[in-house]
């Protein structure tokens, strides 16, 4: 496309691309924006190096003029968007890219890859956090997604409210609190379960978590307390019918005097099984597969569409695909979150015509509302407050606030309509 | 675990870890091994650098002695496994790692991440290839999975029989044939659909694929042939009720004299919609989301378990978790694919006790059978025939052969039992 547009003289037309989801995949009640900080860092690094240019030349993918253009490529446009951690709804313009057509179209796959994957994780994670009723959740799913996606998933889950990750690289790169666990292999390596527990306590002290279900859970708990004493930090249970097993283990721990020893559970948990443990004496959850693959929704189905461009006279033209089943709404947009007098979200108000940041709160908006879009990149310069470790902390806090603002129906785990309607004005 | 085992003196016990799937997620009839070559390349590169060691030290994750051990880490053990492209069944030991406990346990997350993700893609892709009845499929799903997983997904889909990918990095890195497509944005950028088509043909010649459904499909086809002539390579359709639309477009192309212009379809295809187009005049398919997220099965649920280790006397001890719902089969294993006299697969024969490569075809095996496991790493040296571009070509050819060997029920797209039973002997 870049090659043909350069040739046709249309590559430099100013263009507005919009990244949005036509619907909330999985019939979720709200989506959670994640990946924005990673996208901004990727845009900063996005260059075509010698190896890439050589490949494109050897394969004849594009002509020389385009290779020259790619060699000099550096994104110089503007990006507006939902700040990371915000919630979103069908049609919400999560990222709006204003640049030449050629620059904007190059970002398409990168932006979609990152936001589709990270937002799917965060959207699932946010539901799990709510289902846990304030008890901490640790992300432990690295093994169930690609080795790079695993690091991104830890980051997205943390933004959505998880407390920690078992992915040490995510700890190193993003400053996320890390935790570890002993696997069954550690117990099996040793000649007895007792020897394994003793080895773990010798290395980590009594404030550690012993995995008690390798052989027999009751015996495992007894051995754990026998070896560690009643100050043992926690026991982990990774199998069985958890509500029943957890209740038994709690009683047994209490009988043994280990009243402060916590219980952490794992075992293919998702938001539904976490919710089902609401009345159980579980102290923390470890969630693996379901959070990193978006709990049934591994991708958000976001798309990236051209909504406006300038013509040869320099005027803006709104455009949208019109055929069949995939109608888009053209034109530049701004967004306000409609709020009731009590501060509860009532609607996603997408205001046509003004473009990002162009709309002021007007008399035509009943009740109150707040601006949603923020500048992410200005003339090619990434806004630093949205990147790095500080950006992640801000996104996590923002998500907490945005979820509190939603009406109660948003917290339903059943499939259904979005918690608030999207209204175009 | 490494830290505690070093301290306890058990870290150097020789150990056998097995990577396998307890069941075929999604009730598939067979699984497809993918990612093995990537895993081997990752094992070769697996080192702890200064930045990683500093993080582990600063956070107090492990003690100094363990940091020293990690700084020197280089995998020195043996790995046996299913060669990439092979099919597999519940319990199939896809990767068997023989090394010290510490070395083997370090590979756990890496091996699972890569194989779970890549095999999920290949398993879905293989079904799509069968459903397409010999028509070519292109992988176009980069935007619907993480930006690094996208490259791996292109590779896995190619091994399973896809013909090409739209991911240029996968072309550069893995030698996979690449293809491109014009998006709706390219049409919308130009003042008219005609101008967009003319621009694309000026850049790419008439043997290109024009996207005809931005406005009205019938008019789009007429304009395409008007601009390109009857030698136009192909038209792409990305919306609508495809069986109906495709038939209409074929008739129209033929009426216009463009009898050799091909039709390619996209639009959220999966194995079921591809199969439903069997009787339609479609020439090729572009598959996006569903292949990169494993068509409902984004991860294979593989686990990595310690099955044997040496004791202090140097003898082998078979081990397995015994509690509750997750029973494993301990001990070293070899594998043969049982075959009928006509060469049709009849059973996955998992032979206990001998260890990988230790079993010879014996008189106790009725009918014929073939050895499945191959050496992948020998004393820390990766076997080069399983890596790089040549490894991918071999895996693709191997997959073609292995699928042909399966009984007809394997090709069923409905949920059901594995195509052949797993038998432990």
């Amino acid at each position: 496309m870049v090659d043909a547009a350069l040739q046709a003289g249309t590559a430099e037309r100013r263009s507005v691309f919009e990244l949005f989801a036509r619907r909330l995949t999985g019939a979720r009640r709200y989506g959670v924006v994640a990946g924005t900080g990673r996208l901004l860092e990727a845009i900063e690094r996005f260059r075509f190096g010698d190896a890439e240019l050589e490949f494109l030349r050897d394969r004849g993918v594009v002509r020389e003029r385009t290779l020259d253009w790619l060699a000099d490529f550096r994104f110089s446009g503007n990006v507006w968007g939902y700040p990371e951690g915000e919630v979103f709804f069908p049609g919400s313009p999560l990222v709006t890219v204003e640049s030449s057509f050629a620059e904007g179209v190059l970002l398409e796959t990168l932006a979609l890859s990152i936001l589709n994957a990270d937002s799917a994780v965060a959207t699932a994670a946010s539901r799990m956090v709510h289902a846990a009723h304030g008890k901490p959740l640790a992300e432990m799913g690295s093994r169930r997604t690609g080795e790079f996606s695993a690091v991104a998933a830890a980051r997205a889950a943390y933004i959505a409210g998880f407390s920690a990750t078992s992915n040490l690289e995510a700890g190193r790169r993003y400053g996320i609190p890390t935790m570890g666990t002993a696997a069954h292999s550690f117990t099996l390596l040793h000649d007895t379960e007792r020897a394994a527990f003793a080895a773990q306590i010798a290395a980590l002290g009594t404030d550690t978590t012993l995995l008690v279900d390798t052989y027999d859970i009751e015996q495992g708990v007894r051995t754990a307390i026998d070896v560690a004493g009643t100050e043992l930090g926690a026991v982990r249970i990774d199998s069985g019918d958890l509500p029943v097993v957890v209740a038994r283990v709690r009683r047994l721990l209490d009988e043994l005097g280990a009243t402060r020893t916590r219980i952490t559970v794992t075992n293919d948990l998702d938001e539904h099984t976490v919710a089902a443990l609401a009345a159980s004496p579980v102290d923390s959850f470890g969630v693996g597969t379901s959070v990193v693959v978006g709990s049934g929704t591994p991708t958000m189905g976001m798309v990236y569409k051209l909504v406006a461009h300038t013509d040869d006279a320099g005027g803006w033209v709104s455009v949208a695909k019109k055929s069949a089943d995939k109608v888009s709404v053209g034109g530049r947009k701004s967004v306000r979150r409609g709020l009731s007098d009590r501060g509860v979200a009532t609607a996603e108000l997408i205001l046509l015509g003004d473009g990002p940041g162009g709309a002021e709160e007007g008399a035509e908006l009943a009740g109150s509302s707040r601006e949603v879009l923020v500048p992410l990149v200005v003339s090619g310069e990434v806004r630093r407050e949205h990147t790095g470790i500080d950006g992640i902390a801000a996104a996590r806090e923002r998500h907490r606030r945005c979820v509190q603002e939603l009406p109660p129906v948003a917290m339903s785990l059943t499939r259904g309509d979005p918690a608030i309607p999207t209204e175009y004005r």
Side-chain angles (χ1 to χ4, degrees), chain A:
Chain A
M1 286 193 274
V2 172
D3 191 73
L6 281 171
Q7 174 106 335
T10 46
E12 294 302 321
R13 287 185 168 190
R14 296 297 292 176
S15 297
V16 181
F17 286 93
E18 221 176 74
L19 188 154
F20 63 97
R22 288 203 173 88
R23 66 196 74 83
L24 295 178
T25 317
R28 300 282 167 79
R29 307 315 182 104
Y30 63 97
V32 180
V33 183
T36 319
R38 293 210 310 118
L39 172 60
L40 297 180
E41 290 159 10
I43 288 174
E44 276 195 322
R45 289 193 312 266
F46 195 172
R47 300 287 188 283
F48 289 81
D50 292 342
E52 287 81 16
L53 294 169
E54 192 181 313
F55 167 77
L56 296 173
R57 182 180 290 115
D58 286 353
R59 289 276 188 110
V61 175
V62 294
R63 64 197 71 199
E64 280 299 324
R65 178 184 169 187
T66 308
L67 291 171
D68 293 342
W69 187 90
L70 292 172
D72 292 338
F73 173 76
R74 185 189 185 293
F75 182 73
S76 67
N78 300 318
V79 180
W80 291 79
Y82 280 48
E84 193 158 11
E86 243 304 358
V87 298
F88 71 89
F89 302 93
S92 298
L94 305 180
V95 177
T96 302
V97 176
E98 288 196 349
S99 65
S100 71
F101 175 80
E103 288 191 18
V105 81
L106 268 194
L107 298 189
E108 175 167 357
T109 300
L110 182 69
L112 285 171
S113 289
I114 293 176
L115 266 81
N116 268 321
D118 291 15
S119 298
V121 173
T123 299
S126 179
R127 288 156 59 93
M128 294 169 189
V129 170
H130 177 74
H133 289 289
K135 293 175 183 173
L137 296 126
E139 183 280 310
M140 299 167 63
S142 291
R143 61 191 52 196
R144 296 289 167 79
T145 188
E147 70 277 29
F148 295 99
S149 292
V151 186
R155 179 183 178 282
Y158 182 68
I159 286 172
F162 272 51
S163 299
T165 177
S166 63
N167 189 301
L168 287 165
E169 176 64 8
R172 188 183 76 80
R173 193 180 300 181
Y174 299 126
I176 301 171
T178 58
M179 48 76 69
T181 181
H184 294 109
S185 65
F186 185 80
T187 301
L188 294 170
L189 170 69
H190 292 85
D191 297 334
T192 61
E193 189 175 50
R194 176 177 296 269
F197 290 172
Q200 185 174 336
I201 287 162
L204 297 164
T206 52
D207 190 23
T208 187
T209 301
L210 296 177
L211 175 63
V212 293
D213 70 345
T214 303
Y215 302 106
D216 175 84
I217 290 184
E218 184 183 330
Q219 187 54 54
V221 171
R222 291 183 185 280
T223 303
I225 300 304
D226 202 31
V227 174
T230 54
E231 298 305 304
L232 176 64
V235 296
R236 176 164 79 97
I237 305 168
D238 184 49
S239 53
D241 181 21
L242 290 177
V244 174
V245 174
V246 166
R248 280 191 197 145
V249 167
R250 183 71 269 163
R251 276 198 301 273
L252 179 56
L253 285 169
D254 291 347
E255 280 169 29
L256 295 171
T259 53
R260 288 185 298 185
T261 298
R262 299 177 302 279
I263 297 175
T264 187
V265 297
T266 51
N267 193 19
D268 270 343
L269 298 176
D270 64 13
E271 61 268 51
H272 304 286
T273 47
V274 167
L277 286 163
S280 291
V282 171
D283 297 286
S284 63
F285 301 91
V287 182
T289 307
S290 67
V291 67
V292 300
V293 299
S295 196
T297 304
T299 184
M300 291 304 291
M302 295 167 185
V303 294
Y304 184 91
K305 296 293 174 188
L306 182 71
V307 295
H309 64 79
T310 55
D311 58 21
D312 287 341
W316 283 98
V317 182
S318 293
V319 294
K321 179 172 186 296
K322 294 203 175 55
S323 78
D325 48 341
K326 292 180 185 169
V327 176
S328 303
V329 180
R332 304 162 85 202
K333 304 174 183 72
S334 64
V335 182
R336 300 192 72 87
R337 178 80 31 88
L339 299 169
S340 72
D341 295 343
R342 300 170 66 179
V344 178
T346 55
E348 193 78 336
L349 305 172
I350 301 183
L351 312 175
L352 303 176
D354 292 314
E360 294 302 318
E361 186 170 356
E364 80 279 9
L365 297 176
S368 61
S369 67
R370 65 175 174 81
E371 177 69 46
V372 174
L373 299 184
V374 296
L376 298 170
V377 182
V378 179
S379 301
E381 292 300 314
V382 165
R383 295 289 288 257
R384 296 252 66 86
E385 66 269 33
H386 298 291
T387 64
I389 291 178
D390 290 348
I392 293 170
R396 182 174 153 90
E397 170 56 20
R398 180 181 301 115
H399 181 64
R400 202 185 56 74
R401 279 188 282 107
C402 292
V403 164
Q404 283 179 345
E405 198 179 66
L406 294 176
V409 69
M411 297 305 129
S412 170
L413 295 180
T414 59
R415 296 170 66 90
D417 292 329
I420 59 173
T422 300
E423 297 175 12
Y424 291 91
R425 296 194 178 179

